[in-house]
Amino acid sequence: MVHWRDFLDIAIIAFILYRVLLLLIDTRAMQLVKGLIVLGSIAALARLVHLEALSWVLGRLFGVIVIAIPIVFQPELRRMLEELGRGNILRRKQAEERAGQLTDEVTRALEYLRSQKIGAILVFQRNTGLKDIWRSAVKLNSEISEDLIVTIFWPGTPLHDGAVILDREKLIAAACYLPLTENSNLSRWIGTRHRAALGITEVSDAMALVVSEERGEIALAINGHLSRKLREDQIRRLLLHYFSAVSRGSSPWWETLKKELKTLWPVREGNRKEDKDAKGN
């Protein structure tokens, strides 16, 4: 007779295996796990069709692998035990730490570019794929880092002219040329870089951050709207919400981001007033 404790036992074991696999993602040990799954499938098939010799060989091979795993993958196993000791078995905490790390990298890069008055456009991809934009650009598919972003936009480098496109894990491409906005009501003080940032947000749901080399300020373009003179804390909150999203286009992320954007609209309205004053002068 099957008892409820049997189901509980199986559920606990399945949960532990699932969490262990999450810790092994993006490590060399994950390749071993994939290999073991393949060998296990072959062994099960061999036993099912009564291939005795193959079953015997695979059985001995598994015995050797069990002994070799602690030796070959000692660094990965140690890291996994350290993660367990710190209580990071929950994937959510790891995701939060990763989001914070990426936020710091991009924020530091933007602040450095602003301090040096180096122009830049960073486009953050969401639901709408931007392959048509980066297909003809320089594909990088690299880790997001402050040094890489600053190097790309440094004056005189081959990739500084154009935008970079990022998603929540990688810097996809550089030297991307964006479509200009079709909004003819913009002030003439809005330059080409800002018009390009607005243009990409009009044809997609992407978010763009622009560093102005003339004014040394950072602006946000999203959904065809532009907010200028963003502070560092505002940039950090926006990026943290972006990188913290569990799945692309998840509704909680979008709703939270809209709340954050409400704090930016007064800046945009103030910029309109400045533009009117500039026109009058």
Side-chain angles (χ1 to χ4, degrees):
M1 179 179 177
V2 180
H3 200 272
W4 64 270
R5 290 191 181 89
D6 298 327
F7 291 103
L8 179 62
D9 196 18
I10 294 173
I12 293 175
I13 293 175
F15 177 79
I16 293 174
L17 289 176
Y18 171 70
R19 292 300 180 182
V20 169
L21 288 175
L22 288 180
L23 289 174
L24 294 178
I25 289 177
D26 295 331
T27 67
R28 290 188 306 152
M30 194 61 193
Q31 302 303 318
L32 174 65
V33 172
K34 295 177 181 178
L36 289 176
I37 293 175
V38 173
L39 289 178
S41 301
I42 295 175
L45 182 61
R47 183 166 297 184
L48 182 64
V49 297
H50 305 291
L51 299 178
E52 301 298 336
L54 182 58
S55 298
W56 182 86
V57 170
L58 291 176
R60 297 299 181 273
L61 181 60
F62 277 119
V64 174
I65 291 176
V66 170
I67 297 175
I69 285 176
I71 300 173
V72 177
F73 293 96
Q74 179 183 357
E76 283 78 6
L77 293 173
R78 183 174 61 187
R79 185 189 68 84
M80 185 178 68
L81 292 175
E82 289 174 352
E83 294 290 336
L84 291 173
R86 289 198 295 264
N88 286 347
I89 187 65
L90 295 178
R91 188 65 176 176
R92 179 178 298 178
K93 186 171 182 180
Q94 288 184 328
E96 290 175 354
E97 292 178 353
R98 176 63 174 165
Q101 177 188 354
L102 294 174
T103 298
D104 290 339
E105 294 287 341
V106 178
T107 303
R108 287 198 301 265
L110 289 170
E111 288 299 317
Y112 181 82
L113 293 170
R114 168 161 57 183
S115 67
Q116 300 298 316
K117 291 190 175 181
I118 298 175
I121 306 180
L122 278 68
V123 179
F124 298 84
Q125 181 175 271
R126 289 189 61 246
N127 289 335
T128 305
L130 301 177
K131 188 174 183 179
D132 290 340
I133 302 296
W134 57 258
R135 180 182 295 166
S136 58
V138 179
K139 302 175 186 64
L140 299 177
N141 195 32
S142 59
E143 294 293 327
I144 298 172
S145 70
E146 174 190 3
D147 293 337
L148 179 58
I149 295 173
V150 171
T151 300
I152 289 174
F153 290 108
W154 194 262
T157 58
L159 302 180
H160 82 282
D161 191 16
V164 299
I165 296 179
L166 306 88
D167 65 7
R168 295 192 178 96
E169 291 296 330
K170 298 286 185 180
L171 196 156
I172 302 175
C176 303
Y177 293 98
L178 309 179
L180 297 181
T181 179
E182 297 181 359
N183 187 351
S184 59
N185 296 323
L186 291 174
S187 166
R188 62 187 179 88
W189 300 102
I190 302 297
T192 304
R193 187 174 286 113
H194 292 77
R195 292 175 185 272
L198 285 171
I200 192 63
T201 65
E202 290 172 350
V203 299
S204 72
D205 60 354
M207 175 178 73
L209 289 172
V210 188
V211 182
S212 171
E213 59 184 321
E214 293 84 7
R215 294 180 292 272
E217 64 182 31
I218 298 176
L220 166 70
I222 191 168
N223 197 27
H225 298 287
L226 184 68
S227 294
R228 292 167 46 194
K229 297 182 180 179
L230 267 66
R231 302 187 307 272
E232 181 178 352
D233 61 315
Q234 293 174 317
I235 297 169
R236 189 174 295 276
R237 286 201 305 270
L238 290 170
L239 292 175
L240 189 59
H241 290 315
Y242 176 81
F243 289 119
S244 296
V246 177
S247 60
R248 195 176 304 280
S250 58
S251 137
W253 177 85
W254 181 242
E255 292 301 325
T256 308
L257 179 59
K258 285 198 293 186
K259 292 179 181 178
E260 292 295 334
L261 291 176
K262 289 180 180 179
T263 66
L264 303 179
W265 298 143
V267 176
R268 181 167 61 87
E269 295 298 333
N271 290 335
R272 285 181 176 174
K273 184 177 180 182
E274 292 175 5
D275 293 338
K276 291 180 180 178
D277 293 341
K279 288 181 179 180
N281 293 333

